Amino acid sequence: MSFGRFYRLIADNADVIGFGIWVTIQLAIVSMMIAVILGLIACLGSLSRARILRFPSMLFVEFGRNTPILVQLIWVHFAWPEILGIKFSAWTSAVIALSLQSSGYLAEEFRAGIESIDKGQIEASQALGMTYQRLMRRIVVPQALMRMIPGILNQFVTCFKSTSIVSVIAVPDLMYQAGLIVSMTFLPMPVYSFVAFLYFVMVMVIALGVRFATRRLPQFGYFNQRHGGE
Amino acid sequence: MQLDQPVKPLVRLSGVWKRFGKLEVLRGIDLDVNEGATVAIIGPSGSGKSTLVRCLNHLEPIQDGAIEIDGFLITPRGVEKSGRLLGQREVAKFRTLLGMVFQQFNLFPHLTVLGNIIEAPTGVLGRDRAAVTEEAMDLLAKVNLADKANVYPARLSGGQQQRAAIVRSLIMHPKIMLFDEPTSALDPELIGEVLKVIGELAIKGRTSIIVTHELAFARDIASKIVFMDAGLIVEEGPPDKLLTSPKLDRTRAFIARIL
């Protein structure tokens, strides 16, 4: 295939590809935002002394981490409507599955972050009259979150790559749009090559940004210390 | 002159035992601390000094005996008031009666110095933010840290961190101040500035209990010195007596080693 024909192919389908990229980015961002909140709740639940909170939280975390994303996606999309009696759009199913997976991993990272907080911090808070809830909210979780920033960003990269799987339930992400173009043009080689290149560039840019941000972090307030976030 | 006028102790420990598993850290402690008194606790490391102080604000539960503090009673069951066991929230409230200064300062690294100081009075006691901030700046000026109010703790020296930590306790207006080896983690040249703040500001007009290795300082400020060894109070008395003519060889040997 000549460069001219390749250029025409891409230019003619630029809007289809562009829409796919937009859906992919949206999926990654929305899923991650939900996953951070869910992960934090699940983490606090699994650290709780109350068994009624701890057990379901741990189950949630382990399920999210120990089942393949494809299985979660298919399960949510085809089984949940029957279990819950509500019909989801493919986009909603995709967000739920991606959040489920990411929140499992994030919960583990949060837990490690919370457990890394010096015990002296907790004792100082208690000595100042803070209740467990207050010292978690005001002292422990904010410090853990700051330590978790690199972990959250890395999980975002993983989540971004995982979004390509949602094409199997016809969410019009970049991968799905590429399939559409192939079925219209019968040109899998140039289309999929270009899509691979696009994913590579996008993920590379995000990963570089993450690395840059992580390296810059130690220069800000709280991180500006001898043994701050790595 | 009524020499025998009874002074009711603000803190009274009777037969306090503390165990970590099989390790017996406190083995029946009896101690009275009168209102307004400054008690210095000295003794070799591992003698249970820190644990004793940490039992007073219930950071460590006790296994036997009782501690009376200003109408509250700490027993192996927890903290009680008028015979009723207090819940988590009430225990937290009880702790505001006592301020505590730690060996490792334990400032909150994600808050500025000012943020550290106003966190508990505004959050726990619900006091007005503006008024608390004003008081905080006033206290910071007294400990020579006025220019560090908006700096994060990591940027401060150990001595500065400990002075900020003392202000963080004082702003809660505790009835009793506890110091757990407040200068042990400091470089020698920074110890003086912290002792000065403790002596001139923190213990003024306040019942205080200080665990320390600074015997000269203890002599200057304490109304009573308590010598602990192996989980027991082996000797106590006024500073001049205890430091210059101790009754027991153990005490004498310890003092000779430190001085």
Side-chain angles (χ1 to χ4, degrees), chain B residues 107 113-114 117 136-151 156-157 159-167 193 197:
Chain B
L107 290 176
V113 168
L114 185 62
I117 295 168
M137 293 310 295
D138 205 44
L139 283 167
L140 280 173
K142 282 186 184 152
V143 301
N144 277 323
L145 286 176
D147 55 330
K148 303 291 186 195
N150 297 312
V151 171
L156 302 180
S157 73
Q160 291 170 327
Q161 289 193 47
Q162 192 62 301
R163 282 183 276 151
I166 291 170
V167 170
E193 65 189 47
V197 166

Side-chain angles (χ1 to χ4, degrees), chain B residues 67-100:
Chain B
I67 305 172
E68 290 173 66
I69 298 178
D70 199 33
F72 290 87
L73 184 68
I74 302 177
T75 67
R77 297 201 304 146
V79 186
E80 302 170 26
K81 176 142 198 182
S82 322
R84 191 177 58 83
L85 199 64
L86 303 185
Q88 201 243 138
R89 220 159 260 283
E90 294 165 305
V91 172
K93 186 120 199 298
F94 153 75
R95 289 198 176 110
T96 61
L97 202 65
L98 307 103
M100 186 160 191

Side-chain angles (χ1 to χ4, degrees), chain A residues 115-143:
Chain A
E115 285 176 350
S116 77
I117 302 300
D118 180 29
K119 206 162 163 280
Q121 294 288 305
I122 294 168
E123 292 182 345
S125 312
Q126 289 176 321
L128 287 166
M130 293 190 209
T131 57
Y132 177 78
Q133 289 87 333
R134 175 176 294 279
L135 73 90
M136 282 307 262
R137 195 174 73 240
R138 299 288 302 173
I139 307 299
V140 176
V141 170
Q143 287 184 53

Side-chain angles (χ1 to χ4, degrees), chain A residues 30-59:
Chain A
V30 172
S31 307
M32 271 306 282
M33 291 199 300
I34 296 172
V36 167
I37 297 165
L38 274 183
L40 191 56
I41 294 171
C43 157
L44 290 174
S46 63
L47 287 173
S48 165
R49 270 163 291 184
R51 201 170 296 175
I52 192 159
L53 290 176
R54 196 171 64 224
F55 186 71
S57 306
M58 285 164 77
L59 188 69

Side-chain angles (χ1 to χ4, degrees), chain B residues 212-230:
Chain B
T212 185
H213 289 294
E214 303 292 328
L215 297 190
F217 174 70
R219 177 170 46 212
D220 288 347
I221 55 129
S223 40
K224 174 159 80 176
I225 295 189
V226 171
F227 175 66
M228 280 183 74
D229 195 14

Side-chain angles (χ1 to χ4, degrees), chain B residues 170-243:
Chain B
L170 291 181
I171 201 160
M172 297 292 283
H173 305 154
K175 210 162 179 181
I176 301 160
M177 275 299 287
L178 308 174
F179 299 85
D180 184 7
E181 303 200 26
T183 58
S184 295
L186 295 175
D187 293 333
E189 74 270 21
L190 302 176
I191 292 176
E193 65 189 47
V194 171
L195 292 183
K196 190 161 173 268
V197 166
I198 294 175
E200 292 176 5
L201 185 68
I203 65 170
K204 275 276 148 70
R206 214 184 309 263
T207 311
S208 309
I209 298 168
I210 304 182
V211 175
T212 185
H213 289 294
E214 303 292 328
L215 297 190
F217 174 70
R219 177 170 46 212
D220 288 347
I221 55 129
S223 40
K224 174 159 80 176
I225 295 189
V226 171
F227 175 66
M228 280 183 74
D229 195 14
L232 288 168
I233 291 178
V234 292
E235 193 167 351
E236 61 178 282
D240 293 330
K241 227 172 177 173
L242 192 119
L243 291 177

